Amino acid sequence: MQNTIPPLEGVLEVALYADDLNAAAAFYGGILGLEEITRQDGRHVFFRSASTIVLVFRSEVTRLVAAQGSLPVPLHGTEGAGHVCFATKGANLDAWVARLKRCSVDIEADFFWPNGARSIYVRDPAGNSVEFAEARMWESE
C-alpha cells in the first residue's frame, strides 16, 4: 500500500475567541467589512473572508458539552490571544493603515519581511493579533 498524503485545498475556517461578541462584530464586520454570515447570541458570530470563514466564539461556551441532539462537534475552546492574517495586495496596505487609524485602531507593527513583503499588525477588541500582509511573505527569497 502506497503511503500518500491526500491533498488539502487551503484553510476553510479559523477560530478566534472573544468575550464581547458585539465588539468583535463591530471590528470584523464594521471596520474590516467582513460579511457576517451567522450569529448565535452569547455563543458565536461568524464572518466570510473570501474563501475562509472567521469564527469568533465566546471561549467558555465552546468548552461546554453540547446539548442532547446537537451536532457532535468536539469541545474546542481556548484562552488567550489568537492570531489571524488577512492576505491583501501590497498596494492596499496604505489604505488599510489609513482606514484602521480613522477607526481609532492602533497599528502595533508595520514592517517589511526580509523578502520585501509588508505586514501590518493590530489587535481586535479581545486582544487577538490581526495581521494584514502580502501573501508573498511566504515565498522564498
Side-chain angles (χ1 to χ4, degrees), residues 90-91 93-94 109-121 131-134 136-137:
L93 287 170
D94 285 336
D110 182 348
F111 64 92
F112 291 88
W113 292 92
N115 72 357
R118 184 177 173 196
S119 281
I120 297 164
Y121 288 81
E131 180 181 5
F132 304 82
E134 295 177 83
R136 67 187 181 96
M137 75 182 210

Side-chain angles (χ1 to χ4, degrees), residues 8-14 49 51-53:
L8 296 174
E9 298 173 11
V11 175
L12 182 60
E13 61 189 28
V14 60
S49 176
S51 63
T52 302
I53 303 301

Side-chain angles (χ1 to χ4, degrees), residues 57-137:
F57 291 103
R58 283 190 55 232
S59 181
E60 66 274 6
V61 177
T62 63
R63 291 192 303 265
L64 300 175
V65 176
Q68 185 75 18
S70 296
L71 293 173
V73 177
L75 305 179
H76 63 283
T78 188
E79 293 181 20
H83 173 73
V84 62
C85 179
F86 294 101
T88 191
K89 300 216 179 302
N92 295 330
L93 287 170
D94 285 336
W96 272 112
V97 168
R99 171 145 181 85
L100 293 163
K101 286 181 177 180
R102 272 194 315 275
C103 294
S104 300
V105 176
D106 293 329
I107 306 297
E108 189 173 40
D110 182 348
F111 64 92
F112 291 88
W113 292 92
N115 72 357
R118 184 177 173 196
S119 281
I120 297 164
Y121 288 81
V122 301
R123 295 278 168 179
D124 75 6
N128 292 299
S129 174
V130 179
E131 180 181 5
F132 304 82
E134 295 177 83
R136 67 187 181 96
M137 75 182 210

Side-chain angles (χ1 to χ4, degrees), residues 15-70:
L16 298 171
Y17 298 89
D19 291 333
D20 186 339
L21 296 177
N22 289 328
F27 181 80
Y28 290 99
I31 295 174
L32 302 191
L34 301 184
E35 173 193 3
E36 183 177 316
I37 57 172
T38 188
R39 179 191 294 239
Q40 184 178 337
D41 288 335
R43 185 177 191 282
H44 66 255
V45 59
F46 298 166
F47 304 91
R48 182 177 313 282
S49 176
S51 63
T52 302
I53 303 301
V54 178
L55 311 170
V56 181
F57 291 103
R58 283 190 55 232
S59 181
E60 66 274 6
V61 177
T62 63
R63 291 192 303 265
L64 300 175
V65 176
Q68 185 75 18
S70 296

